[in-house]
Amino acid sequence: MSAALDIFRALGDPTRLRIIHLLRAMELAVGEIAQVVGQSQPRVSRHVRILAEAGLVERRKEGNWVFLRLGKDAALAPYLALFDRIEPSQAEHLWQQADLARLAAVRADRSRAAESYFAEHAEEWDAIRSLHVAEADVEAAMTALLVQEPIGHLLDIGTGTGRMIELFGPEAEQVTALDRSPDMLRLARAKLPEDAGDKYALVLGDFGELPMERGSVDTVVLHQVLHYAQAPEAAIAEAARVTAAQGRVLIADFAAHEREELRLRDQHARLGFSNEQIENWFAQAGLDLERVESLPGQELTVQLWLGRRRGARVLPIEGRISA
């Protein structure tokens, strides 16, 4: 009874209800919530403390930032289900929509900052990556993981200057390289072989909403891309969606670290990832984590996570393979 009373007391405040509503949309930093609800960060932190003490939210410290997500305790499910069952009043519906619109604006500001950075540093991008860890070692480890099976249709998410095209394109049956920066796609196009024909497709798009059909690719690569995602779990879910059953998703990114300057200077949304985070996001997306490789560098460690899409291959009426 005490736990139930704590939960209802925590929910008995309009601002805390707004915070829960926002966290149902995505994991957020305290400062982002403060910006959306229009209150000071100390005041929002007090609300967060009450929600955390009731078990409704969990904190995750990353560098100088604290990220929040909904509590994972199964006992909270009935209380959170109330948000779906109770019809909001007209006024409540309006503030919910207004908060989500402000949240979209916050995310758009961050995306614009990242895109501006990409445009300014497109020519230097391969060199910037090489400062963190020897790229040749990363590529060798990625190759060792992928060439054990046919690559089939390769999707390179966040292709950048097209290095993954250069590395895995010759072994693939078909290649789709996606990036949200036209400058990057222009550079990637220069990596295509002269006899490319229609084997290669360079596509302008975002990893949060891939312009591809479900189960349409065999191998997905995200090379030093995921740390730019505001919602990494959503990017992984999208990668899994377009991957055929028994297909593979390979992520090469940084292990969790505390180099705050990468967020401030290089627009990294996340300071690396733990194996537990990736494994949980893989599981939620229908992927089994098969291999983890660790490549320590002088300052940062690069991790490789290889996942496989669950399910049997099924041939639908229209002839498209899906899970």
Side-chain angles (χ1 to χ4, degrees), residues 214-250:
R214 180 182 297 275
S216 59
V217 300
D218 301 297
T219 305
V220 178
V221 173
L222 295 99
H223 175 234
Q224 295 291 13
V225 169
L226 198 63
H227 57 249
Y228 292 109
Q230 296 295 326
E233 67 277 19
I236 290 174
E238 266 294 275
R241 179 185 67 82
V242 303
T243 303
Q246 301 304 316
R248 297 171 295 168
V249 176
L250 176 60

Side-chain angles (χ1 to χ4, degrees), residues 199-215:
K199 174 178 175 178
Y200 295 82
L202 273 63
V203 179
L204 186 67
D206 189 86
F207 49 38
E209 190 174 355
L210 299 173
M212 305 184 72
E213 293 185 357
R214 180 182 297 275

Side-chain angles (χ1 to χ4, degrees), residues 92-212:
E92 289 170 336
H93 179 73
L94 288 175
W95 65 250
Q96 287 175 1
Q97 295 305 307
D99 278 353
L100 291 177
R102 284 189 288 269
L103 176 59
V106 169
R107 295 172 66 181
D109 286 343
R110 289 184 171 272
S111 294
R112 281 193 292 270
E115 288 169 4
S116 174
Y117 174 79
F118 291 150
E120 291 174 6
H121 297 275
E123 298 284 354
E124 308 166 26
W125 193 238
D126 279 338
I128 292 174
R129 282 177 172 169
S130 70
L131 295 176
H132 304 301
V133 67
E135 202 66 21
D137 294 340
V138 177
E139 292 176 1
M142 294 176 71
T143 301
L145 287 176
L146 289 183
V147 298
Q148 299 177 31
E149 300 175 25
I151 290 177
H153 183 179
L154 171 69
L155 171 62
D156 181 22
I157 297 178
T159 192
T161 58
R163 176 54 185 158
M164 295 298 102
I165 296 176
E166 201 173 30
L167 190 62
F168 297 114
E171 301 299 326
E173 295 178 5
Q174 183 180 352
V175 177
T176 300
L178 177 139
D179 206 288
R180 64 182 178 184
S181 166
D183 291 323
M184 288 296 189
L185 290 178
R186 175 179 57 81
L187 294 175
R189 193 173 300 278
K191 299 285 180 71
L192 299 183
E194 293 183 4
D195 59 348
D198 59 359
K199 174 178 175 178
Y200 295 82
L202 273 63
V203 179
L204 186 67
D206 189 86
F207 49 38
E209 190 174 355
L210 299 173
M212 305 184 72

